[in-house]
Amino acid sequence: MQRILRTALVLGLLTGLSLSLAQVTLTYWQYDFGTRIDAMNQLIEQFNAENPDVIVVQETFPYDAYEQRVAAATAAGQGPDVVQLFYGWVGSWQRAGYIEPLPQEHIDHAWIEEYFIPMVESVKVGGEYFGLPTAVRSLALFYNKDLFRAAGLDPDAPPQTWDEFVEAAKALTVQRGPLFTQIGYGPGGQDHHLIRTVLMNQLGTPPYSADNREVLYGNEIGAEALRTWTDWQLVDEIGVLEFIPGSGGYRDGFINQENIAMIVDGSFAIGQVRNNAQFDWGVTELPTFDNGVQSNFGSFWMNAVTPRAYRDPAVLEASARFITFVTSEEAMQLWLEVVGELPAARSLVGDPELVSDPVNGPFIAGLAYAEATQFVDEAAQRQVMIDAYNRVLLEGMDPAESIMLEAQADQALLDDFDD
Amino acid sequence: MIREPRAKRSSRLSLTQREAIYAYVFLLVPLVFFATIRFYPALQSFRLSLFTWHVDPARRTFVGAQYYQDLLSNPVFHQALTNTLLYAAITVPVSIALGLGIAILLQAVTVGRGWYRAIYFAPYITPAVAIAWVWGWMYNVNFGIFNRIIIEWWDFVEGIGLPWLAIDPQRFLRDPEVALPAVAVVIIWQQLGFQVVIFLAGLQGIPRVFYEAARIDGANPWQLFRHVTIPLLNPVLVFAVVITTINALQLFDQIVNINFTDQGGPLGRTLSIALYMYQEAFSRARLGYAAAVTVVLFLIILVITLVQLRLTQRRVEY
């Protein structure tokens, strides 16, 4: 009897072992953000149930330490097989070898271009796609309807043009002596994109050439875009940077302090606003200049494979299967519900329910004319923009001069990257 | 004379030699530890600085001293270097002078000395992130306490009909000229407790008899300080200077967190070398270049520390 038991035990262990040998374990990394982790956990659970030969394990890290962890882990041959990254990091990450192209034998380029909205092409580098998004984001204007009413403005007629925007913001700004107690517009979060992608495109110049080798804004149009934005603070006095300190200060002021009446923010902020704002608020499409040209900045986080996924064909296949799963229409629906970010599939962005939604609608509308500006080095290219407006705001430099300095610095970054 | 029994079975090694061997065997453990987790990575980072960065070593390209040439001609590196030296030039003398002054005053306090010590030490053990946040709010232009006081003062002097006494609100961290000193104040405030405790210990180590003898010889308080306290405190002063300088040269946490949306800003005016290195390494994935920055930072710290030791660590004549 004992012998039988022992044999059974050994057999059981052996089969368990062989099962686990046949199973592929994938490690998935993203940064810490409550709803994103939650959504991904739900997706992983579904995926694991449908794919018994694969086990996906999610690991997350604080945003500030994220790139550091990826660098250290991938260099040591450890870390994720599938990793989430901001689309703007593709340049520096693929150069450093943190990510590899998506395997074409498992993920067909023709399918990508047919299934996803065109914005996704911004992560096609050297003929290879480096990742695919579950969700995309665009910008819109959030405004506090209660503050609109208090200022005698019509809460159902948000500004359509930048002139109307400035007029409304003036009415919404409250000063005490030389200081503000409430501001009409809270700059900070997405303003480098607002200036470089939105305002410049609206004024008629794309910031970069189509091949992304040349900076095109070192001219009067670029200066005009920068001047428009800096005048809001220097001339119109409708807002100020760092009104509320911290990385999400502008949003905090809008949501919690209720002393910022309007912010330009991404669709990723919807969840936070919806869950925390204790007042009547609305969202509207980004205003335009008098020429009526619309523009928007689109962006996304994407799922990519690391060199570690390439260590074994089975792992690579499983990674591709997982990426296909988390970018399926069902996954996008779930992501929209849980995180609040917009779906990345062509088939879903035209969904009438979504388009007519008072909150999602303006973002979806913006998506139609949004562009995901291609960066070779997002961190450095963001810094040159921040420095450009700070030279005007803090040192009194003329926007025309500052934009030329920025264009040169930006061009140097593009040139450096080609080397 | 009793014969030494040990001499009979004496090995080829003397007792001292054997003791030395034992000591080295035991020392080997931390030594190996240090060699693997300190020295080896340090050497590796020097190696890294000679190659372009790629996770696959086979795909790194040798660039020799290219990154060193690049950084020497890079204006941002120059700015970071200047800022870092400025941080040291401000924080080291001020925090040591204040720390020593407070320690001397605390020595005179007999009631509740422990409490005072705890109060001064509290900032030192508070996380840099929390400190940066709180000071970020205090420096805030529209809601910070400093401008609040300025505005209250403004209202007050206008109320009593003396408007020319009013002071304009300050931009603090948003002012390119003021941002670095403003951050330096935070660092001094944070480090003060450390200095106070070190100096208190040092002061207590000075025998009372020296003071008594000097007083009998007619020395005034300044002479006591200048000719008794300072020379006898010299080892502690050297320690404090070296440690504070190294801290200043490695500044990172406070700077990252006090201006979160534009780290090292505005316009790079608060950027330190350590932060610059971090940004190059982990925001831009340029680890080869960043490694070159660390090597240069290491050399700077080495040279400054050696010079300081040479200048300050003179033998004290009693």
Side-chain angles (χ1 to χ4, degrees), chain A residues 64-72 74-75 89 92-98 100 176-182 188 233 240-249 252 257 259 307 377 379-380 382-383 386-391 393-395 413 416, chain B residues 53-57 59-60 70 76 133 136-138 140-144 147-148 151-152 154-155 167-171 173-177 252 256-269 278-287:
Chain A
D64 301 318
Y66 191 61
E67 285 181 89
Q68 192 185 345
R69 296 294 181 115
V70 171
T74 46
W89 300 346
S92 48
W93 280 38
Q94 60 95 11
R95 181 176 59 177
Y98 302 162
E100 292 285 339
R176 180 192 172 191
L179 302 181
F180 296 104
T181 54
Q182 177 179 307
Q233 293 180 55
V240 62
L241 273 169
E242 295 287 312
F243 184 60
I244 305 289
S247 59
D252 183 31
Q257 322 278 340
N259 54 16
D377 187 341
R382 178 182 37 183
Q383 192 63 51
I386 290 173
D387 288 348
Y389 65 59
N390 272 336
R391 279 192 296 264
L393 294 175
L394 305 178
E395 294 188 326
L413 289 169
D416 268 3
Chain B
W53 169 243
H54 195 284
V55 288
D56 180 1
R59 287 166 69 181
R60 292 174 196 166
D70 286 355
V76 183
W133 254 100
W137 268 107
M138 298 208 296
N140 182 271
V141 177
N142 289 281
F143 300 108
N147 272 351
R148 187 71 182 255
I151 285 292
E152 296 294 339
W154 178 310
D155 285 351
I167 312 164
D168 282 331
Q170 299 297 305
R171 290 189 295 180
L173 297 170
R174 288 291 294 157
D175 186 333
E177 304 301 322
F252 178 78
V256 164
N257 290 294
I258 206 159
N259 190 351
F260 211 88
T261 45
D262 182 11
Q263 293 173 336
L267 298 170
R269 295 303 173 86
Y278 183 87
Q279 288 174 339
E280 290 291 326
F282 300 115
S283 302
R284 305 189 60 195
R286 297 178 74 212
L287 269 81

